[in-house]
Amino acid sequence: MTNEMMTLRSLVEKTPDADLLRDMIGFAAERLMELEVGGLTGAGWGEKSPERLVQRNGYRDRVWETRAGTVELRIPKLRKGSYFPGFLEPRRMAEKALTAVIQEAYIHGVSTRSVDDLVKALGMSGISKSQVSRLCADIDERVTAFLERPLEGDWPYLWIDATYVKVRQNGRIVSVAVIIAVGVNSDGRREILGMDIGPSEAEPFWTAFLRKLARRGLRGVKLVVSDAHEGLKAAISKILSATWQRCRVHFMRNALAHAGKSGRRVVSAFVATAFAQNDATSARQQWRRVADQLRPKVPKLAALMDEAEEDVLAYMTFPQQHRSKLHSTNPLERLNGEIKRRTEVVGIFPNEAAITRLVGAILLEQNDEWAVQRARYMRLETTPTLGDDDLVRLPATAA
């Protein structure tokens, strides 16, 4: 056995390149994945067994950066649930994207002092444009494939939010909106569905974004949760014909601005009594009682409540076990926080492609992490009857 190992080692060492070693690593990784998937499905590949737990659903390609070079893997997919091999490094690609953005900014001479210091600390001085181009091309290909992938099945719940970053355009530094859509499918699994970059959150921008999602296969949307953007609300009615939920957290911030510093705690507790009701009818009745009681002393707040009633309480028409995750865009806040943390390192992006590269890589990483979670985000056995309340459903119009 020792002689055989020595012979194998000498063969590898004499090989003019690392092809043999990469093939060996790839073979071992594929065998490991097959064993893991066999345990999840309860049967081997192609095996007919009454004890099978779930069917396979093809493969997805993924490259694995190792010390021996790039190894191409075919990761098995399941019809229900998910599988992601634990030996892959989930945070590797976003760090590459961040490095690529910093390098590109450095080469273009548009980096801030903090970015310049970071580049030197990472030992990147003297890097060539061709090296940056090769690194960026690899990341861009994977990010583009992720952001343009077909969307299969129904997506009853959709959260949309925007964050702002700075970019150079025609010699000026401008702020652009990066919008992100997260959905939950009929299996209760959460995925990042798409992102886009635009100069503002106007209706044409929202409409184009939702149309792009629809062309990729977005369907079955019952509820869209977002901040109060009139342009988005109009786009939802035009493209999706779904219920719109105004983010409750953002609404409360707007409402408490009318209450004065001394009355905010009382008003917040007062309005919260409507959210504590068990059904939509009781919630609306309590909402109107609160508005009427506030009207003599805080008429602007009462008027705001009158105007926002249907939008803020829309989630109350959906199953009670889902409501804690439907009343606001909070499920996106942590993701937006991570994006802010990474993009602040760059400061000012050299172009929009650099934004897509870094933010897209962060979204791809997060999507992979959600895919390997054993627990579903929510149970959606009641999806066929979701959101049938005509009072809160937005009418469809011609696209």
Side-chain angles (χ1 to χ4, degrees):
M1 176 63 105
T2 304
N3 291 334
E4 291 178 357
M5 292 299 296
M6 291 177 62
T7 304
L8 179 60
R9 181 176 299 175
S10 62
L11 176 62
V12 172
E13 290 175 349
K14 291 179 181 179
T15 304
D17 53 35
D19 288 346
L20 177 60
L21 186 55
R22 285 198 299 269
D23 290 343
M24 292 171 60
I25 294 173
F27 175 79
E30 289 182 3
R31 292 294 298 168
L32 178 61
M33 288 189 292
E34 289 297 331
L35 289 172
E36 291 180 343
V37 172
L40 292 174
T41 59
W45 187 86
E47 178 184 351
K48 294 183 178 180
S49 171
E51 299 179 356
R52 178 180 288 276
L53 303 174
V54 65
Q55 298 289 330
R56 292 172 177 248
N57 191 27
Y59 296 86
R60 58 189 174 108
D61 296 328
R62 178 77 180 259
V63 294
W64 183 24
E65 299 294 341
T66 70
R67 292 184 180 182
T70 301
V71 177
E72 297 183 357
L73 298 178
R74 299 180 70 222
I75 300 176
K77 295 167 61 178
L78 305 178
R79 291 194 181 276
K80 290 185 179 180
S82 59
Y83 168 72
F84 189 79
F87 56 81
L88 292 183
E89 301 177 60
R91 286 289 175 194
R92 184 73 178 270
M93 194 178 66
E95 298 305 325
K96 280 187 176 183
L98 177 58
T99 302
V101 172
I102 294 172
Q103 290 169 345
E104 188 170 2
Y106 184 75
I107 287 172
H108 283 79
V110 297
S111 57
T112 62
R113 178 176 297 179
S114 60
V115 174
D116 191 51
D117 291 341
L118 178 58
V119 169
K120 291 177 181 178
L122 293 174
M124 298 179 191
S125 58
I127 191 168
S128 68
K129 290 185 179 181
S130 61
Q131 288 175 302
V132 175
S133 297
R134 286 195 298 271
L135 179 59
C136 292
D138 175 61
I139 298 170
D140 291 345
E141 182 179 352
R142 295 170 63 185
V143 168
T144 300
F146 168 67
L147 295 177
E148 296 181 358
R149 73 192 189 282
L151 303 177
E152 301 177 351
D154 291 342
W155 301 87
Y157 296 136
L158 186 68
W159 291 263
I160 301 179
D161 201 6
T163 188
Y164 284 83
V165 297
K166 288 181 169 54
V167 65
R168 290 185 182 269
Q169 289 183 352
N170 302 321
R172 298 184 303 116
I173 299 174
V174 300
S175 184
V176 295
V178 179
I179 58 174
I180 300 165
V182 171
V184 168
N185 60 22
S186 54
D187 193 37
R189 295 284 177 180
R190 181 171 43 161
E191 288 191 26
I192 294 166
L193 303 186
M195 66 157 284
D196 208 345
I197 303 169
S200 67
E201 299 178 68
E203 180 182 346
F205 179 42
W206 288 117
T207 301
F209 177 63
L210 293 180
R211 279 179 175 160
K212 189 183 300 183
L213 292 179
R215 284 195 297 269
R216 288 171 48 210
L218 179 65
R219 67 183 188 189
V221 179
K222 303 289 187 179
L223 182 71
V224 181
V225 187
S226 75
D227 195 5
H229 302 292
E230 289 300 323
L232 175 57
K233 188 176 180 179
I236 293 170
S237 68
K238 184 183 298 183
I239 307 300
L240 299 179
S241 183
T243 302
W244 176 60
Q245 167 65 37
R246 180 174 180 175
C247 176
R248 201 174 82 183
V249 175
H250 287 87
F251 168 79
M252 288 302 296
R253 290 175 189 166
N254 297 335
L256 295 180
H258 297 290
K261 186 175 294 186
S262 60
R264 289 177 183 174
R265 182 176 297 180
V266 174
V267 169
S268 178
F270 211 14
V271 175
T273 60
F275 302 141
Q277 303 303 311
N278 293 324
D279 57 79
T281 301
S282 300
R284 289 171 183 148
Q285 292 172 352
Q286 180 63 16
W287 183 273
R288 291 164 194 159
R289 280 194 292 268
V290 172
D292 290 339
Q293 291 175 6
L294 292 173
R295 204 176 307 277
K297 292 186 177 181
V298 198
K300 290 185 178 180
L301 175 55
L304 179 64
M305 292 184 65
D306 293 340
E307 178 187 355
E309 176 186 338
E310 298 297 341
D311 300 332
V312 177
L313 298 179
Y315 76 102
M316 293 294 294
T317 64
F318 289 80
Q320 188 171 8
Q321 61 269 31
H322 300 169
R323 293 175 191 169
S324 63
K325 297 175 180 176
L326 298 180
H327 62 67
S328 72
T329 56
N330 280 352
L332 270 174
E333 292 301 320
R334 183 176 179 183
L335 180 58
N336 278 339
E338 180 66 13
I339 291 172
K340 275 293 185 185
R341 186 181 71 84
R342 303 279 190 99
T343 55
E344 283 175 357
V345 174
V346 179
I348 302 169
F349 285 84
N351 48 50
E352 289 190 2
I355 300 174
T356 302
R357 183 177 305 125
L358 178 55
V359 177
I362 296 170
L363 298 179
L364 176 54
E365 283 180 351
Q366 182 61 73
N367 201 71
D368 283 347
E369 289 186 7
W370 287 344
V372 300
Q373 292 177 351
R374 291 182 176 274
R376 290 184 290 174
Y377 186 63
M378 58 174 65
R379 295 187 176 276
L380 294 183
E381 285 77 5
T382 54
T383 48
T385 59
L386 290 180
D388 293 328
D389 192 332
D390 293 332
L391 290 176
V392 295
R393 180 173 296 279
L394 296 174
T397 59

